[in-house]
Amino acid sequence: MIQKKRSATLVITCPDRKGLVARISSFLFEHGANILHSQQHQDAENGLFLMRTEWDPSESDLDQQNFGSLFSTISVDMAMSWKVSFSDVKTRVAIFVSKFDHCLADLLYRHRMGDLNGEIVLVLSNHPQARTLVEFYRLPFYEIPVTADQKERAEQSQLDLMAKFQIDLIVLARYMQVLSPNFVHQFPHRIINIHHSFLPAFQGAKPYHRAFQRGVKIIGATSHYVTEDLDEGPIIHQDVVRVSHRDQIEDLVRRGRDLESMALSRAVQLHLEHRIVAYDNKTVILE
Amino acid sequence: MIQKKRSATLVITCPDRKGLVARISSFLFEHGANILHSQQHQDAENGLFLMRTEWDPSESDLDQQNFGSLFSTISVDMAMSWKVSFSDVKTRVAIFVSKFDHCLADLLYRHRMGDLNGEIVLVLSNHPQARTLVEFYRLPFYEIPVTADQKERAEQSQLDLMAKFQIDLIVLARYMQVLSPNFVHQFPHRIINIHHSFLPAFQGAKPYHRAFQRGVKIIGATSHYVTEDLDEGPIIHQDVVRVSHRDQIEDLVRRGRDLESMALSRAVQLHLEHRIVAYDNKTVILE
Amino acid sequence: MIQKKRSATLVITCPDRKGLVARISSFLFEHGANILHSQQHQDAENGLFLMRTEWDPSESDLDQQNFGSLFSTISVDMAMSWKVSFSDVKTRVAIFVSKFDHCLADLLYRHRMGDLNGEIVLVLSNHPQARTLVEFYRLPFYEIPVTADQKERAEQSQLDLMAKFQIDLIVLARYMQVLSPNFVHQFPHRIINIHHSFLPAFQGAKPYHRAFQRGVKIIGATSHYVTEDLDEGPIIHQDVVRVSHRDQIEDLVRRGRDLESMALSRAVQLHLEHRIVAYDNKTVILE
Amino acid sequence: MIQKKRSATLVITCPDRKGLVARISSFLFEHGANILHSQQHQDAENGLFLMRTEWDPSESDLDQQNFGSLFSTISVDMAMSWKVSFSDVKTRVAIFVSKFDHCLADLLYRHRMGDLNGEIVLVLSNHPQARTLVEFYRLPFYEIPVTADQKERAEQSQLDLMAKFQIDLIVLARYMQVLSPNFVHQFPHRIINIHHSFLPAFQGAKPYHRAFQRGVKIIGATSHYVTEDLDEGPIIHQDVVRVSHRDQIEDLVRRGRDLESMALSRAVQLHLEHRIVAYDNKTVILE
């Protein structure tokens, strides 16, 4: 949904027990919050309760500063993991890209159109090619080359940039370097990657070549959170399209571009709208 | 979702105001209800609040008999329309069919597989053809011919049957007779029809012929609640499939059969799971 | 396409060279054949030419008996593999099934509706459950139990039945026994299986459980020709549907049923319309 | 298919009769043409034969200049409409746009990526907004304002530009002015428009508003050739996406943008690859 109006969003996970919705909604009511949208999900298998609630903060006394202490009466008691986000404070996004720029171009266009509920703060690349496009959209572009023997140093430069610009979310828009475990650990469930196959099929390198080789009739793209294990992180969104024997590898590559752009931008939007809860190497999408 | 376990479902619509979720969830908590699933939706345009809550009734003192009076403390105050359904009491379904039996065959098969959260009580037709199929599934089959000059009398026989068997939901599985306003009024939002086009395109007769004539590249099917205005009722579900210049009218008819079966059975399932709220000639699907 | 009228279909593969279309179409013209549909495909990578031509045999002197010798002037010279099929002679189909009968029910219904361009001659099962359904459609049902130590003998009984009824095509409609290499060799590209995943993801056992475990957002079904390597044969058709975190394993199983029925019946139709050329462990679909 | 290699494409329509494929393919063979792809379609209802053949011109004596006279021995006799296109000669494309620039941005990006089998020569608009984007892609931008009382004069300026730049194809990429019959007549089946609905549903103005009002569960976009009758021309391609009660009008508009870009670029690609034959207010797509 497009959210033009101010809103606040609370996302909660905790052990399931009776009365959770009652306590949370009573708390919000007492603080003048008019609920706009609310979803709950019970994961029976894991005994987990998940909730996303969005309210109009205009008549409420809750704000980013006081929420934690006020809510602690409930959250501590219920052993909750929670995160509150007020729409005034935009999530700060960095996009990492290599040479293929279709996902980047798509994200920048959507950003300009106001479709993304966050702020793209900078674009970082290990190659110079994307600079012109990024500068067309009047965004800062940082080029940090990555070579085999200088990888650690390059990652430190990247991390410094992330810190300097207070980046909340990193989007790997066909960034062709594998991030080290150290890097990944600093952004748990805050790095989104696009893999150009229908995972778990064709994990790893050259998925279109292998899809062509296997003769599949549908190809896909998968956006997921990055974890230590390559292409094994929690899946956020997948898109697919039919192909035929007439499609050569270069056709799959070309048609896959649309899939990749769509699956990545969808995942980014879901993250920016605080609709994703990731645990147990899966995602729950609270739409 | 498949619902093997006992559950109770409450669906509410009322004017939107602060504290609704808090009051309802507190009520359920006080009565020992453990919430399994819950969705709320705010229709800002119409100032409406909609909610579907499903709970485990095994440790709760709420039942079909006492719910109304216990809940009246809230429901009257808040001007609620509400409906509670306990899974022990199955919705009683009648299927109306004419000659084409693909939707009927599909529904009967799903019923036998336990996919439908209700009970098909009888099948009624204005033709004899479907009898063998219905009897294969060991269900009663009633043939009530409808002729132009005996239509009123035929409808009275149908209504008598519906009353006798306490039918809650009528499914028009390619039933080719138009029901009178009088009939429709007795089952508000309780008659589901399948129209063999992507409404509002090709309303009325011979939609596949007209789709062929217009040269569309996608055909569809639409399930909707029946209102007085033919093919104008609230849409529940739509399915589509690509077609090409190679498809002749008989191909569209053949491919449309799959669409019709899927769109109709989906609508029936949603109704039987109490997931549809219809107002303003639209539906809200609480999934 | 539905083919009510008589037609003949020639499918050819041969090394690509200039003038192939000219020679073949001249041959057909000289023999009075009016071409109804024709497709050619060049596989540049393998230097292969593929062609499917369908004509009206009513004014042609070509028939099943004389075609081979008349066509040999071209076919030998060009090193062609070819197959001619006259619509009067229906492909004879056997369906193998175990306990899950949704694909069987779907195929039998389509057969009765005249959607399948072939003749279902018998249904064979290692269990008794499907008998009632098969007999409802007035088709012979053979039960051949398969036990670990009697597998070879059971296969021999199956092969005897296939020979006795001159079966051209075997459809494994969720038949849960692995066929031996010996069996498979006797029906090259004439056994179609449905695998309940989006191959090559989740090859092998319990694909829905593994899809659930991995948290995929789309599930699929794959119809393919059976080769010696389990789930590795040439893919004919694939269908997919979106799922969410709300879907439990039993929901995936239920939703997968529709996918399996659709992907299998589509593959069977394509085979019966002589639209599939399989080589190099892939299929070319000449639509 | 991506066509990097040189190729020539012949598209033919004529009254159906025996021996057409034989004569055409013999002609091509005699002139040294190695056929790469070929499709035929018979429109039985209208007694029409349609063919698209693509060959490698490198060993053939056929070229743009001599083809017509050489082919006339067949084409005149058979009363053919035909068009030959050599890949060296790119189709010259003009894009018309108003304020919404998502389709334009998408086409320009694909053009830069080499996905479009033609040359975008200029972009024309009745508003200044798109200039920056167009100039980023280093293409000429012409602004011709259109006012109610100066419409005729504006169209004359447009036509002059089309003539000056020898434009073959005009793409209306959300161009919000209705072209006059006089303009349309000068580009028969050479103007492609994108309509932001699933035609024939919601013809005319404000389709997303009307789709929202009707409560449809799927929205669409339709690309079509422009004829005198607004939104009534032959449909080339359609795309659809599911929506729900949560989607407000602005959500439909936003989600529709992707559909419009995809449906329009697909139509443009098909046209540029000479895959569309339009007659009888329909299209045949020779893929």
Side-chain angles (χ1 to χ4, degrees), chain D residues 129-154:
Chain D
Q129 284 88 337
R131 179 180 296 276
T132 327
L133 178 64
V134 174
E135 291 182 350
F136 172 69
Y137 283 103
R138 300 177 188 282
L139 287 170
F141 177 83
Y142 292 88
E143 187 189 339
I144 300 182
V146 179
T147 53
D149 55 337
Q150 299 271 321
K151 181 150 181 171
E152 209 174 324
R153 187 192 286 194

Side-chain angles (χ1 to χ4, degrees), chain A residues 19-279:
Chain A
L20 281 165
V21 177
R23 283 196 68 176
I24 300 163
S25 52
S26 297
F27 170 83
L28 292 172
F29 176 56
E30 286 157 18
H31 289 280
N34 190 25
I35 295 176
L36 300 172
H37 305 283
S38 187
Q39 299 96 342
Q40 295 88 47
H41 175 66
Q42 275 71 11
D43 177 341
E45 203 185 11
N46 293 294
L48 262 187
F49 170 85
L50 299 94
M51 182 174 186
R52 179 188 185 276
T53 303
E54 200 178 326
W55 67 88
D56 175 357
S58 60
E59 298 177 27
S60 162
D61 63 355
L62 299 167
D63 60 35
Q64 191 88 51
Q65 278 67 46
N66 66 15
F67 189 90
S69 63
L70 291 169
F71 192 54
S72 63
T73 52
I74 296 177
S75 62
V76 173
D77 193 23
M78 302 287 192
M80 288 178 178
S81 296
W82 60 270
K83 183 168 180 248
V84 74
S85 312
F86 287 77
S87 61
D88 310 359
V89 186
K90 296 271 182 214
T91 302
R92 297 172 66 78
V93 181
I95 302 178
F96 283 30
V97 70
S98 290
K99 288 180 181 170
F100 300 121
D101 68 355
H102 50 284
C103 288
L104 173 67
D106 182 70
L107 286 167
L108 293 177
Y109 184 83
R110 289 180 201 270
H111 186 233
R112 196 199 82 189
M113 293 301 283
D115 284 0
L116 297 183
N117 215 20
E119 191 183 346
I120 299 179
V121 176
L122 64 88
V123 176
L124 184 155
S125 182
N126 53 336
H127 293 288
Q129 284 86 337
R131 179 181 295 277
T132 326
L133 178 65
V134 173
E135 291 182 350
F136 172 70
Y137 283 103
R138 301 175 185 283
L139 287 172
F141 177 83
Y142 292 87
E143 187 188 341
I144 300 182
V146 180
T147 54
D149 54 338
Q150 298 272 321
K151 180 149 181 171
E152 207 174 327
R153 187 194 286 195
E155 275 206 348
Q156 193 49 56
S157 304
Q158 292 171 346
L159 286 168
D160 291 347
L161 262 182
M162 298 303 104
K164 180 179 165 196
F165 286 97
Q166 297 172 279
I167 297 301
D168 302 303
L169 175 71
I170 295 173
V171 179
L172 306 184
R174 298 297 309 271
Y175 181 67
M176 306 305 272
Q177 296 287 328
V178 177
L179 299 174
S180 73
N182 170 47
F183 191 110
V184 171
H185 279 159
Q186 300 193 36
F187 291 89
H189 295 161
R190 295 200 287 132
I191 308 175
I192 296 176
N193 184 44
I194 180 73
H195 183 73
H196 41 313
S197 87
F198 185 87
L199 288 176
F202 310 121
Q203 241 169 277
K206 292 204 169 290
Y208 291 128
H209 287 73
R210 288 150 64 208
F212 178 78
Q213 205 56 42
R214 181 63 185 93
V216 295
K217 300 299 186 186
I218 294 178
I219 59 167
T222 304
S223 49
H224 63 93
Y225 283 122
V226 174
T227 56
E228 269 190 65
D229 301 310
L230 193 63
D231 304 335
E232 292 272 15
I235 292 171
I236 303 171
H237 192 73
Q238 301 190 290
D239 277 314
V240 291
V241 72
R242 291 197 180 279
V243 296
S244 83
H245 60 273
R246 288 189 297 262
D247 292 298
Q248 301 302 303
I249 291 173
E250 54 267 36
D251 299 305
L252 302 190
V253 170
R254 178 173 55 78
R255 304 189 66 182
R257 279 204 290 265
D258 287 343
L259 290 182
E260 295 162 29
S261 301
M262 306 255 285
L264 181 58
S265 72
R266 180 84 183 123
V268 171
Q269 281 177 323
L270 289 170
H271 183 100
L272 293 176
E273 294 176 357
H274 318 290
R275 296 188 181 280
I276 315 177
V277 180
Y279 64 93

Side-chain angles (χ1 to χ4, degrees), chain D residues 196-207:
Chain D
H196 41 311
S197 85
F198 186 84
L199 287 177
F202 309 122
Q203 241 169 276
K206 294 204 167 290

Side-chain angles (χ1 to χ4, degrees), chain B residues 164-209:
Chain B
K164 179 179 167 197
F165 286 97
Q166 297 172 281
I167 297 301
D168 302 305
L169 175 70
I170 296 172
V171 178
L172 306 184
R174 297 299 308 272
Y175 180 67
M176 306 306 271
Q177 295 288 329
V178 177
L179 299 174
S180 72
N182 171 48
F183 192 111
V184 171
H185 280 159
Q186 301 194 34
F187 291 89
H189 295 161
R190 297 199 286 131
I191 309 175
I192 296 177
N193 184 44
I194 180 72
H195 184 73
H196 40 312
S197 86
F198 186 85
L199 287 178
F202 309 122
Q203 240 169 278
K206 294 204 168 288
Y208 292 129
H209 288 73

Side-chain angles (χ1 to χ4, degrees), chain C residues 17-19 21-22 25-26 29 32 34-40 42 59, chain D residues 17-19 21-22 25-26 29 32 34-40 42 59:
Chain C
R17 46 184 290 187
K18 278 187 197 176
V21 178
S25 51
S26 298
F29 176 55
N34 190 25
I35 295 176
L36 300 172
H37 305 282
S38 186
Q39 300 96 342
Q40 296 88 46
Q42 277 70 9
E59 297 177 29
Chain D
R17 46 185 288 185
K18 279 187 193 175
V21 177
S25 52
S26 298
F29 176 55
N34 190 24
I35 294 176
L36 301 172
H37 304 284
S38 187
Q39 300 96 344
Q40 295 88 46
Q42 276 70 9
E59 297 176 29

Side-chain angles (χ1 to χ4, degrees), chain A residues 18 22 25 32 36 38 40 42, chain B residues 18 22 25 32 36 38 40 42:
Chain A
K18 278 188 196 174
S25 52
L36 300 172
S38 187
Q40 295 88 47
Q42 275 71 11
Chain B
K18 280 188 194 173
S25 52
L36 301 172
S38 187
Q40 295 88 45
Q42 276 70 9

Side-chain angles (χ1 to χ4, degrees), chain B residues 150-161:
Chain B
Q150 300 271 322
K151 182 151 180 169
E152 209 174 324
R153 186 192 288 192
E155 276 206 347
Q156 192 50 55
S157 304
Q158 294 170 343
L159 286 170
D160 291 347
L161 263 182

Side-chain angles (χ1 to χ4, degrees), chain B residues 18-269:
Chain B
K18 280 188 194 173
L20 281 166
V21 178
R23 285 196 67 177
I24 299 164
S25 52
S26 297
F27 169 84
L28 291 171
F29 176 56
E30 286 156 18
H31 289 280
N34 191 25
I35 295 177
L36 301 172
H37 304 284
S38 187
Q39 301 95 343
Q40 295 88 45
H41 175 66
Q42 276 70 9
D43 177 341
E45 203 185 9
N46 294 295
L48 262 186
F49 170 84
L50 299 94
M51 182 174 187
R52 179 188 186 277
T53 303
E54 201 178 325
W55 66 89
D56 176 355
S58 59
E59 298 176 28
S60 163
D61 62 356
L62 298 168
D63 61 32
Q64 191 88 50
Q65 277 67 47
N66 66 16
F67 189 89
S69 63
L70 291 170
F71 192 53
S72 63
T73 52
I74 296 177
S75 63
V76 173
D77 193 22
M78 301 287 192
M80 289 177 176
S81 296
W82 60 270
K83 182 165 182 252
V84 74
S85 314
F86 286 77
S87 61
D88 309 359
V89 187
K90 296 272 182 213
T91 302
R92 297 173 66 78
V93 181
I95 302 179
F96 284 29
V97 70
S98 291
K99 289 182 182 169
F100 300 121
D101 69 354
H102 51 283
C103 288
L104 173 68
D106 182 72
L107 287 168
L108 293 177
Y109 184 83
R110 289 180 200 271
H111 186 233
R112 196 198 82 189
M113 294 300 283
D115 284 2
L116 296 184
N117 215 20
E119 191 184 346
I120 298 180
V121 177
L122 65 88
V123 177
L124 184 155
S125 182
N126 53 334
H127 292 287
Q129 284 88 337
R131 178 181 297 276
T132 326
L133 178 65
V134 174
E135 291 181 350
F136 172 70
Y137 283 104
R138 301 175 188 281
L139 287 172
F141 177 82
Y142 292 88
E143 188 189 340
I144 299 182
V146 180
T147 53
D149 55 337
Q150 300 271 322
K151 182 151 180 169
E152 209 174 324
R153 186 192 288 192
E155 276 206 347
Q156 192 50 55
S157 304
Q158 294 170 343
L159 286 170
D160 291 347
L161 263 182
M162 298 304 104
K164 179 179 167 197
F165 286 97
Q166 297 172 281
I167 297 301
D168 302 305
L169 175 70
I170 296 172
V171 178
L172 306 184
R174 297 299 308 272
Y175 180 67
M176 306 306 271
Q177 295 288 329
V178 177
L179 299 174
S180 72
N182 171 48
F183 192 111
V184 171
H185 280 159
Q186 301 194 34
F187 291 89
H189 295 161
R190 297 199 286 131
I191 309 175
I192 296 177
N193 184 44
I194 180 72
H195 184 73
H196 40 312
S197 86
F198 186 85
L199 287 178
F202 309 122
Q203 240 169 278
K206 294 204 168 288
Y208 292 129
H209 288 73
R210 288 149 63 206
F212 177 77
Q213 204 57 39
R214 180 63 186 93
V216 294
K217 299 300 186 185
I218 293 178
I219 58 167
T222 305
S223 49
H224 63 93
Y225 284 123
V226 174
T227 56
E228 268 189 66
D229 301 310
L230 193 64
D231 303 337
E232 292 272 16
I235 293 171
I236 303 170
H237 193 73
Q238 301 189 290
D239 277 314
V240 290
V241 72
R242 290 198 179 278
V243 295
S244 82
H245 62 272
R246 288 189 297 262
D247 292 298
Q248 300 302 304
I249 290 174
E250 53 268 37
D251 300 305
L252 302 191
V253 169
R254 179 173 55 77
R255 305 189 65 184
R257 278 203 288 266
D258 287 344
L259 290 182
E260 295 162 30
S261 301
M262 307 255 285
L264 181 59
S265 72
R266 181 84 183 121
V268 171
Q269 281 177 324

